[in-house]
């Protein structure tokens, strides 16, 4: 941490706030209130959000149009979720299919004008019993795809997930391992995404992030870990409702020099997704200004 480090003050200015549309249920078919992309853009612009991160399923073949619409409203597209799983039981069935879908996700991010594409790497390769081998496969696939992403001007953001997902969704479970993976791939377009839900428990986080440096941090995602989590996938908390030390976590991210967006990403099937999106966005702004 540098001596002149000062945590950004969002109490009166929330331009650094970004919405990940999963917060409105848009990552899962049939969830949320079903707002159109235009409604989401207008509502975020009205409330002074700085950026929006989208999910592929809501973009379809309208990537360019939606990206232009976001910028016309004065916002940026800070991300697209996400690449296919690259390894493990949920990955497409062949290397070619993985690469094809990986390319399609990069193409969509480029058309949207998104600054980064989130990569959730997938779980341990079936019958391998080896997290280490699985991560080596991931490193190879990402290295193979990095030049394509560089041409498209899209950063690849490796997102380590909470270890509860290690089996099926992400054999990459700590920021330390994500930084090591970046170093191993050693390509300027490959970075990491830091998500409160996945890292709040990690007491080595600050040191790992300083090793990464700001150029290697492509995003910072906000939510909270509920003390009585009922579903590790779809019961994330609103900032301030859980146990994560949000200001301390952000201070560790910003101590690297990171000055990018803070993106609210809340999967909450039985609480927030049942509410009016206007209310959800209002609460996001209020909590961002007060507890993040
Ligand atoms: Zn995230």
């Amino acid at each position: 941490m540098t001596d002149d480090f000062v945590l950004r003050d969002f109490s009166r200015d929330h331009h650094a706030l970004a919405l990940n549309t999963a917060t409105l249920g848009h990552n899962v078919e049939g969830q949320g209130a079903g707002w159109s992309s235009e409604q989401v853009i207008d509502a975020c612009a009205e409330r002074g959000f700085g950026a929006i991160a989208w999910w592929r399923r809501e973009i379809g073949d309208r990537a360019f149009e939606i990206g232009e619409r976001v910028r016309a409203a004065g916002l940026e597209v800070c991300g697209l979720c996400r690449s296919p799983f690259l390894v493990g039981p949920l990955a497409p069935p062949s290397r070619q299919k993985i690469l094809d879908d990986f390319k399609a996700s990069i193409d969509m991010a480029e058309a949207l004008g998104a600054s980064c594409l989130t990569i959730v790497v997938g779980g341990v390769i079936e019958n391998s019993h080896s997290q280490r081998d699985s991560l080596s496969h991931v490193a190879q696939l990402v290295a193979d795809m990095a030049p394509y992403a560089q041409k498209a001007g899209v950063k690849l953001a490796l997102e380590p997930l909470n270890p509860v997902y290690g089996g099926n969704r992400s054999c990459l479970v700590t920021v330390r391992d994500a930084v090591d993976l970046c170093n191993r791939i050693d390509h300027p377009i490959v970075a990491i995404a830091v998500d409160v839900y996945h890292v709040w428990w990690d007491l080595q986080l600050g040191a790992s992030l300083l090793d990464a440096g700001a150029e290697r941090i492509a995003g910072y995602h906000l939510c909270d870990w509920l003390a009585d989590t009922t579903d590790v996938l779809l019961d994330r908390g609103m900032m301030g409702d859980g146990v994560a030390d949000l200001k301390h976590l952000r201070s560790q991210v910003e101590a690297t020099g990171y000055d990018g967006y803070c993106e609210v990403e809340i999967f909450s099937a039985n609480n927030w997704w049942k509410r009016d999106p206007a209310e959800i966005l209002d609460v996001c702004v209020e909590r961002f200004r007060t507890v993040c």
Side-chain angles (χ1 to χ4, degrees), residues 82-122:
R82 54 180 174 68
S83 72
F85 293 113
L86 305 180
V87 290
L90 302 176
S94 70
R95 181 181 163 83
Q96 193 53 52
K97 285 204 162 67
I98 291 167
L99 291 176
D100 288 348
D101 195 49
F102 204 161
K103 275 190 179 160
S105 61
I106 292 169
D107 292 344
M108 184 184 281
E110 181 184 19
L112 260 176
S115 49
C116 79
L117 173 72
T118 300
I119 300 179
V120 174
V121 304

Side-chain angles (χ1 to χ4, degrees), residues 181-240:
L181 203 59
C182 275
N183 290 338
R184 193 161 152 191
I185 298 164
D186 192 24
H187 193 288
I189 212 79
V190 180
I192 65 172
V194 181
D195 186 321
V196 165
Y197 200 70
H198 305 306
V199 307
W200 69 273
W201 53 271
D202 182 359
L203 297 178
Q204 307 306 315
L205 179 68
S208 304
L209 290 172
L210 284 175
D211 286 348
E215 321 74 65
R216 286 277 201 225
I217 301 175
Y220 176 55
H221 304 170
L222 287 170
C223 66
D224 211 332
W225 181 275
L226 297 174
D228 293 315
T229 294
T230 57
D231 177 338
V232 291
L233 195 57
L234 298 178
D235 188 30
R236 296 189 185 193
M238 177 62 70
M239 299 84 75

Side-chain angles (χ1 to χ4, degrees), residues 26-265:
H26 291 194
N27 55 319
V28 181
E29 189 72 45
Q31 292 285 350
W35 270 16
S36 68
S37 301
E38 286 75 8
Q39 282 176 290
V40 173
I41 293 165
D42 290 345
C44 285
E46 272 166 31
R47 289 167 176 78
F49 280 71
I52 302 175
W54 302 93
W55 285 72
R56 283 167 77 187
R57 56 167 299 277
E58 63 192 326
I59 299 297
D61 58 3
R62 300 174 61 218
F64 182 75
E65 183 189 335
I66 291 173
E68 290 292 283
R69 184 74 161 68
V70 169
R71 285 178 286 279
L75 287 81
E76 292 184 281
V77 180
C78 62
L80 177 67
C81 301
R82 54 180 174 68
S83 72
F85 293 113
L86 305 180
V87 290
L90 302 176
S94 70
R95 181 181 163 83
Q96 193 53 52
K97 285 204 162 67
I98 291 167
L99 291 176
D100 288 348
D101 195 49
F102 204 161
K103 275 190 179 160
S105 61
I106 292 169
D107 292 344
M108 184 184 281
E110 181 184 19
L112 260 176
S115 49
C116 79
L117 173 72
T118 300
I119 300 179
V120 174
V121 304
V124 171
I125 295 170
E126 287 169 296
N127 303 317
S128 76
H129 303 283
S130 177
Q131 182 193 18
R132 204 174 284 274
D133 288 353
S134 303
L135 286 172
S136 292
H137 270 81
V138 168
Q140 192 57 57
L141 280 162
V142 174
D144 290 349
M145 205 47 81
Y148 190 82
Q150 187 171 36
K151 239 191 202 160
V154 176
K155 270 200 168 188
L156 299 178
L158 292 161
E159 183 163 351
L161 300 196
N162 191 297
V164 293
Y165 303 112
N168 57 0
R169 290 180 178 264
S170 179
C171 56
L172 184 65
V173 294
T174 66
V175 167
R176 173 77 267 161
D177 290 342
V179 175
D180 289 347
L181 203 59
C182 275
N183 290 338
R184 193 161 152 191
I185 298 164
D186 192 24
H187 193 288
I189 212 79
V190 180
I192 65 172
V194 181
D195 186 321
V196 165
Y197 200 70
H198 305 306
V199 307
W200 69 273
W201 53 271
D202 182 359
L203 297 178
Q204 307 306 315
L205 179 68
S208 304
L209 290 172
L210 284 175
D211 286 348
E215 321 74 65
R216 286 277 201 225
I217 301 175
Y220 176 55
H221 304 170
L222 287 170
C223 66
D224 211 332
W225 181 275
L226 297 174
D228 293 315
T229 294
T230 57
D231 177 338
V232 291
L233 195 57
L234 298 178
D235 188 30
R236 296 189 185 193
M238 177 62 70
M239 299 84 75
D241 290 346
V243 299
D245 189 348
L246 294 171
K247 283 223 160 76
H248 179 62
L249 289 164
R250 181 160 68 86
S251 75
Q252 293 177 98
V253 174
E254 293 189 8
T256 66
Y258 179 83
D259 62 357
Y261 289 109
C262 303
E263 177 185 320
V264 178
E265 184 186 30

